[in-house]
Amino acid sequence: MRLIRGLHHLEPLRDGCVLTIGNFDGLHLGHRRVIERVAAHGRRLQLPTVAMVFEPQPLEYFLGDHAPSRLTRLREKVIQFAKLPIDELLVLPFNRRLADYDAEQFICDILVDSLNIKHLVIGDDFHFGKARRGNFTLLQHRGEEYGFAVESTDSFELDGLRISSTLIRDALGEGDLSQAKLLLGRDYSVCGRVAHGDKRGRELGFPTANLQMFRKNTPLVGVFAVTMTGLDGRELSGVANLGNRPTVDGSAKAVLETHLFDFNQDIYGRYVEVHFKARLRDEVRFDSLAALQAQITRDVKAAQDFFAGMRHG
């Protein structure tokens, strides 16, 4: 899969392409159903497949800090897309110019002139253009005019639930990792580069690998049993705190601190993925570092018991 940042980096698609457009936040099972349809049409028409996403996501542009928490940052989204049958991931910067694009202009300038689309697959709730005036009906009419087909995919339901990023976000907010996993088709995870912290965990006897979340807010807060991948081919078990560290410094930005069991290597700068397996408790403020240390000891035991149960279950 090729990652293309902006239309100016797009090579001409002389024969056209099969396209889908969306936020694809989380790349859940419903999104994957859309990608499967795109891939099928790509094979049928013998054309490259393209997924178009926006960065930031439109609601983040319009609402700023009040936008819904994000399931996947762009790099995480790229990692998940690379596992799917998409030839090119086109990332368009969502700025004032794009926000002001009239729906008709978007179709003509971007879909037809830049991408030369032959088949478009969209979700059943897709709207686009200034004031969200563009919809499936408009695309159908312009498709007849410009020579491309438009297909709307029904929402994907699982056990009677319409799978959506919002539903997954709600499940994570309630600490229901099992429900989130069911809808995502995988454990919820976050990626990042291990950064230097204040070494407080090491002082407490529990050294941690720290990941800055680099997002406005996070759908998940608390203490968790986790695994980490990306280091040496193994899936390493540990316990993690995701939040603002109220006992230590009340950080303004969320930090993910992971203590790996039976592990003592220098991994600063390594790019890793942390997979959330079970929620252990809320993040709370303790009166002293000694009380925090005692609780971490209990958290480690709880996480180890969870993994032991998985191995023997």
Side-chain angles (χ1 to χ4, degrees):
M1 184 195 77
R2 293 178 60 233
L3 173 63
I4 302 167
R5 302 290 295 259
L7 285 169
H8 57 289
H9 287 131
L10 182 70
E11 295 177 3
L13 297 165
R14 294 182 179 84
D15 296 325
C17 69
V18 179
L19 175 72
T20 185
I21 309 171
N23 285 324
F24 296 102
D25 190 23
L27 268 177
H28 54 61
L29 290 179
H31 293 144
R32 288 162 193 264
R33 178 70 63 87
V34 172
I35 299 300
E36 287 169 8
R37 295 297 304 152
V38 171
H41 288 297
R43 290 190 296 269
R44 177 177 62 84
L45 298 170
Q46 295 187 307
L47 291 174
T49 55
V50 181
M52 180 193 295
V53 299
F54 306 100
E55 189 65 28
Q57 295 179 168
L59 278 182
E60 292 172 334
Y61 174 82
F62 290 115
L63 300 180
D65 291 346
H66 301 291
S69 56
R70 190 164 175 162
L71 298 176
T72 42
R73 294 173 54 220
L74 177 60
R75 183 159 182 181
E76 293 164 336
K77 204 177 291 187
V78 170
I79 290 170
Q80 293 299 328
F81 260 114
K83 302 173 184 177
L84 301 176
I86 283 289
D87 296 315
E88 298 185 348
L89 178 61
L90 174 61
V91 182
L92 295 189
F94 198 88
N95 48 29
R96 172 50 59 190
R97 180 171 178 268
L98 194 58
D100 285 341
Y101 244 86
D102 177 77
E104 298 267 7
Q105 183 185 13
F106 184 88
I107 294 171
C108 183
D109 292 357
I110 296 179
L111 301 190
V112 176
D113 290 349
S114 295
L115 288 164
N116 189 22
I117 66 165
K118 301 302 180 187
H119 196 101
L120 175 64
V121 181
I122 54 173
D124 57 2
D125 58 352
F126 180 69
H127 289 79
F128 66 101
K130 189 172 183 178
R132 290 168 54 86
R133 292 193 181 98
N135 55 24
F136 180 72
T137 302
L138 176 63
L139 285 165
Q140 275 190 315
H141 291 158
R142 294 298 168 261
E144 293 170 3
E145 178 182 346
Y146 291 114
F148 63 85
V150 187
E151 174 185 351
S152 175
T153 58
D154 294 332
S155 296
F156 184 37
E157 291 191 359
L158 193 66
D159 297 335
L161 292 173
R162 176 186 178 275
I163 296 182
S164 69
S165 301
T166 300
L167 193 62
I168 295 167
R169 203 174 289 119
D170 291 344
L172 292 173
E174 294 166 5
D176 192 344
L177 295 179
S178 296
Q179 175 78 339
K181 180 177 181 177
L182 189 68
L183 302 174
L184 283 166
R186 65 184 188 281
D187 287 316
Y188 180 68
S189 64
V190 299
C191 299
R193 202 168 295 283
V194 179
H196 287 277
D198 58 12
K199 309 295 190 293
R200 191 63 58 96
R202 189 174 301 278
E203 292 173 12
L204 295 172
F206 300 97
T208 59
N210 298 339
L211 272 63
Q212 297 289 339
M213 296 298 288
F214 294 112
R215 58 189 84 197
K216 301 287 187 183
N217 42 45
T218 171
L220 206 57
V221 175
V223 177
F224 303 88
V226 301
T227 61
M228 181 182 288
T229 55
L231 292 175
D232 57 8
R234 291 182 295 162
E235 189 170 11
L236 304 167
S237 300
V239 62
N241 184 94
L242 174 53
N244 302 101
R245 310 194 311 167
T247 304
V248 180
D249 58 9
S251 173
K253 290 186 177 180
V255 177
L256 175 60
E257 301 171 295
T258 303
H259 171 67
L260 297 172
F261 306 143
D262 305 315
F263 185 86
N264 187 26
Q265 296 178 25
D266 183 351
I267 57 173
Y268 291 119
R270 298 290 296 276
Y271 196 83
V272 299
E273 184 170 3
V274 178
H275 311 261
F276 294 87
K277 300 292 185 178
R279 192 174 193 277
L280 303 178
R281 63 172 176 85
D282 292 338
E283 184 185 44
V284 295
R285 178 180 174 83
F286 294 92
D287 293 333
S288 66
L289 290 179
L292 172 61
Q293 185 178 38
Q295 182 59 57
I296 295 174
T297 302
R298 292 191 288 271
D299 294 337
V300 167
K301 177 68 165 56
Q304 289 173 331
D305 289 346
F306 167 78
F307 287 115
M310 284 185 64
R311 286 192 296 272
H312 299 116

